[in-house]
């Protein structure tokens, strides 16, 4: 008998189940991984996050301990690079990596051993910052399609040879949410319901007695704007640095990721494009020496000049408005 799963259950299994993408060793990485992230391009992104942590620690009155919780920490790259770069808050920081996938958690402890690693968010109350880069896009979504009367919900029939889509009338609560989020969605258009992402941010906010939640991810301000675009633009798969096939093909062999609809997250966040956020946290001054060195000696490059060029290329990618620079940074303040 084929099994019929709601799309979020299918996505959960395809990513995190026994034969899922992450359980089979899929991971981020600029060269050796399946997809690049800001964290894996180099250490500049981490240095900006460290500058934010130093500034926030001072704004909050220098709390000690100052807990930094990183959701979806992957292989620990951001943790390692942030701990190397923090300055003022160095002695107060207690860094906790939260990573669902066991093998990544072990890899993370291998490179960032002074931090702790947990499979899920800890209990509060805590004082500090919860940060996550490209976590929410990886949390399973429900998938709804506008029908002539109301909404259908996408399920997946998993057979021994093929997986196929099955549409069923959406339950009333999901239909009401979809109508509120995308009232003018044309018949046949689709939207994601990102309840797990919303719950994750709510839990992060609730565990803080005082502090900030800082989310970096790609996506759109509104669900309604996703409804105007074809599903394969915002629900994507990646394998070995390339866009892969339909999420229903070869489950477990590719990452499945959905652009974040930020209007589905708790309200009250300050939103900035990543390029602006990095500029506000020092990326220009961090690359000023490299820029000067490159301009001075580009005609006769040495190893040092080439390292300067690499740093400038990394900065350019992080602020590129057609790429990482267009990601959103959402910051919530508690207390
Ligand atoms: C796209 S990767 C990003 C990794 C890293 N933050 C980076 O930027 O390179 C998403 C990570 O989140 C992890 N993850 C997924 N759901 C999670 C959850 N509920 N709690 C913690 N980690 C989770 C996955 O196992 C994966 O390692």
């Amino acid at each position: 008998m084929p099994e019929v799963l709601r799309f979020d259950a299918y996505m959960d299994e395809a990513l995190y189940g026994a034969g899922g993408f992450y359980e089979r060793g899929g991971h981020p990485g600029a060269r050796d991984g399946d997809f690049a992230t800001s964290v894996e391009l180099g250490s500049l992104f981490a240095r900006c996050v460290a500058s934010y942590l130093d500034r926030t620690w001072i704004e909050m009155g220098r709390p000690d301990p100052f807990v930094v919780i990183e959701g979806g920490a992957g292989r620990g790259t951001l943790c390692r690079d942030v701990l190397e770069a923090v300055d003022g808050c160095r002695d107060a920081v207690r860094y906790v990596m939260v990573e669902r996938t066991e093998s990544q958690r072990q890899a993370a402890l291998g490179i960032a051993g002074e931090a702790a690693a947990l499979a899920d968010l800890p209990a509060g109350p805590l004082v500090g910052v919860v940060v996550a880069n490209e976590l929410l896009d990886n949390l399973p979504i429900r998938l709804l399609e506008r029908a002539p009367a109301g909404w259908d919900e996408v399920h997946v029939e998993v057979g021994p040879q093929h997986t196929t889509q099955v549409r069923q009338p959406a339950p009333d609560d999901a239909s009401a949410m979809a109508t509120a989020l995308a009232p003018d969605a044309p018949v046949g258009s689709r939207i994601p319901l990102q309840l797990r992402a919303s719950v994750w941010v709510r839990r992060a906010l609730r565990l803080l007695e005082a502090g900030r939640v800082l989310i970096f991810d790609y996506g759109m301000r509104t669900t309604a704007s996703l409804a105007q675009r074809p599903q394969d633009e915002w629900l994507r798969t990646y394998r070995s640095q390339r866009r892969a096939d339909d999420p229903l093909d070869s489950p477990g062999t590719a990452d499945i990721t959905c652009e974040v609809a930020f209007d589905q997250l708790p309200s009250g966040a300050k939103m900035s494009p990543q390029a602006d956020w990095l500029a506000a946290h020092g990326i220009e001054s961090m690359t000023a020496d490299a820029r000067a060195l490159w301009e001075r000696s580009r005609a006769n490059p040495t190893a040092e000049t080439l390292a300067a060029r690499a740093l400038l290329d990394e900065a350019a990618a992080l602020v590129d408005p057609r790429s990482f620079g267009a990601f959103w940074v959402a910051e919530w303040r508690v207390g």
Side-chain angles (χ1 to χ4, degrees):
M1 270 291 281
E3 194 185 3
V4 177
L5 299 172
R6 208 170 67 184
F7 189 82
D8 54 332
Y10 166 78
M11 183 168 165
D12 199 82
E13 197 56 31
L15 288 175
Y16 308 110
F21 170 75
Y22 282 107
E23 286 300 325
R24 286 154 72 142
H27 61 81
R31 280 174 206 84
D32 65 329
D34 291 280
F35 50 89
T37 62
S38 300
V39 165
E40 296 289 343
L41 292 182
S43 60
L44 262 180
F45 179 80
R47 287 167 62 195
C48 293
V49 173
S51 153
Y52 169 87
L53 293 175
D54 280 329
R55 193 188 289 182
T56 302
W57 181 68
I58 291 171
E59 275 172 25
M60 289 179 63
R62 297 180 161 80
D64 189 357
F66 180 54
V67 182
V68 177
I69 296 176
E70 186 196 344
R75 297 186 298 169
T77 312
L78 181 66
C79 173
R80 178 197 60 198
D81 294 345
V82 162
L83 289 176
E84 253 174 52
V86 280
D87 184 18
C89 68
R90 180 79 194 79
D91 292 340
V93 164
R94 305 287 177 277
Y95 203 111
V96 181
M97 299 179 283
V98 177
E99 171 51 55
R100 177 173 175 178
T101 307
E102 162 79 21
S103 57
Q104 302 235 55
R105 227 167 33 244
Q106 293 311 324
L109 280 173
I111 72 158
E114 69 174 287
L118 302 174
D120 195 10
L121 286 169
L126 299 170
V127 173
V129 173
V130 181
V131 61
N133 184 59
E134 293 200 32
L135 167 67
L136 300 189
D137 66 84
N138 241 190
L139 299 185
I141 58 158
R142 292 173 68 174
L143 197 52
L144 270 74
E145 181 174 314
R146 182 82 215 196
W151 292 85
D152 288 341
E153 178 152 18
V154 176
H155 291 64
V156 179
E157 189 173 294
V158 184
Q161 306 295 337
H162 301 289
T163 51
T164 43
Q165 290 187 38
V166 184
R167 288 199 305 275
Q168 298 178 358
D172 289 348
D173 55 352
S175 294
M177 256 184 274
T179 301
L181 289 163
D184 301 323
V187 170
S189 65
R190 289 190 170 184
I191 60 165
L193 281 188
Q194 293 176 311
L195 299 169
R196 297 208 201 184
S198 175
V199 167
W200 197 90
V201 175
R202 261 173 229 290
R203 289 177 65 212
L205 287 166
R206 220 176 297 128
L207 72 79
L208 290 177
E209 180 185 319
R212 315 271 190 266
V213 174
L214 187 69
I215 296 290
F216 299 85
D217 225 315
Y218 41 87
M220 305 287 280
R221 298 290 293 252
T222 65
T223 308
S225 48
L226 290 177
Q228 303 304 324
R229 295 166 53 205
Q231 174 201 292
D232 64 358
E233 274 187 27
W234 44 262
L235 180 63
R236 300 189 288 267
T237 60
Y238 288 92
R239 182 191 303 119
S240 308
Q241 306 290 350
R242 289 175 192 280
R243 282 282 295 271
D245 17 59
D246 187 277
L248 265 54
D249 292 341
S250 319
T253 66
D255 188 23
I256 306 176
T257 160
C258 181
E259 289 187 24
V260 177
F262 282 87
D263 60 343
Q264 296 189 34
L265 303 183
S267 59
K270 178 180 171 203
M271 302 279 295
S272 341
Q274 178 162 302
D276 295 356
W277 191 91
L278 292 171
H281 293 88
I283 196 165
E284 286 291 331
S285 58
M286 287 169 198
T287 47
D289 288 350
R291 199 171 306 283
L293 177 63
W294 173 252
E295 291 306 333
R296 249 192 345 266
S297 48
R298 60 195 294 179
N300 299 300
T302 62
E304 218 186 344
T305 325
L306 295 177
R309 182 66 256 165
L311 192 73
L312 295 175
D313 289 345
E314 183 188 336
L318 287 172
V319 301
D320 182 346
R322 286 156 307 162
S323 166
F324 294 107
F327 283 25
W328 287 104
V329 186
E331 184 202 48
W332 290 260
R333 292 175 173 231
V334 179

